[in-house]
Amino acid sequence: MKAGLVLLMTISAVLMFATTGYAHESATYSATAIMKDVKGNTVGLATFTEEANGSVHINVNVRGLNPGLHGIHIHYKGKCTGPSFTSAGEHYNPLGKEHGLNNPKGPHAGDLPNLKVGKDGKGHMSVTTDRVTLSPGPTTLFTANGTSLVIHADPDDQITNPTGNSGARIVCGVIEKK
């Protein structure tokens, strides 16, 4: 009787752990950021989806911006108080790197390629990064203070610390779980 109970408990434990592992593997982590300009007008949307390999796909669509290249970064705080958006804090950098995708000592986890905005004022970016995650861990975007996505007035030079000379913050959106 005792051996049967031990066997039953062992089988139950194995099934519980197997089910938990499967649920984690099949979980989809996603987030959105409603992008607002310095006047508080909604100018776009960013979506974040964690892929099976752990990298995060970011899709950004905005309108009403000046044509050209704009720096775009994930920032440390989930606050977007206009008009300067300094409430978003610095670039998201939990691993202590230097700024820029071309920096040999970088990049920050929140560094992204420049956003290209066309003559019609519309910008779109589709990029995948392995430097952040939506699932729990040291580079999760769901920190105690939250995170935000910020678009800057000028292009990011992808090397200069701490911001890539990307200028004023002109659009901001808080990254929130979906």
Side-chain angles (χ1 to χ4, degrees):
M1 178 84 156
K2 196 174 191 180
L5 184 59
V6 169
L7 180 60
L8 182 61
M9 289 174 55
T10 302
I11 291 170
S12 295
V14 168
L15 287 173
M16 182 178 73
F17 287 117
T19 303
T20 302
Y22 177 76
H24 178 71
E25 287 176 15
S26 65
T28 300
Y29 295 97
S30 60
T32 58
I34 297 171
M35 306 302 291
K36 297 190 176 200
D37 66 14
V38 296
K39 295 179 182 176
N41 299 314
T42 299
V43 296
L45 179 71
T47 60
F48 301 76
T49 306
E50 187 165 308
E51 298 178 349
N53 66 3
S55 59
V56 175
H57 182 76
I58 304 169
N59 192 32
V60 180
N61 287 293
V62 290
R63 66 184 185 287
L65 277 63
N66 289 332
L69 296 176
H70 296 268
I72 181 170
H73 310 98
I74 298 168
H75 284 248
Y76 258 119
K77 296 180 183 173
K79 291 186 179 180
C80 288
T81 306
S84 64
F85 301 126
T86 57
S87 58
E90 298 175 352
H91 292 182
Y92 186 59
N93 188 22
L95 302 178
K97 303 285 185 169
E98 290 192 17
H99 174 77
L101 297 176
N102 298 327
N103 190 325
K105 295 180 182 176
H108 294 153
D111 288 345
L112 298 169
N114 284 307
L115 171 72
K116 184 177 182 179
V117 175
K119 291 179 183 179
D120 60 359
K122 294 179 182 176
H124 172 75
M125 181 175 76
S126 180
V127 65
T128 301
T129 178
D130 62 359
R131 292 184 306 280
V132 299
T133 183
L134 301 178
S135 54
T139 59
T140 185
L141 295 183
F142 302 130
T143 66
N145 293 323
T147 53
S148 57
L149 185 66
V150 175
I151 300 173
H152 296 262
D154 301 320
D156 185 330
D157 67 16
Q158 298 297 345
I159 198 159
T160 305
N161 247 342
T163 64
N165 293 324
S166 52
R169 301 169 185 198
I170 59 170
V171 175
C172 186
V174 175
I175 301 169
E176 298 178 319
K177 284 184 185 180
K178 217 165 131 182

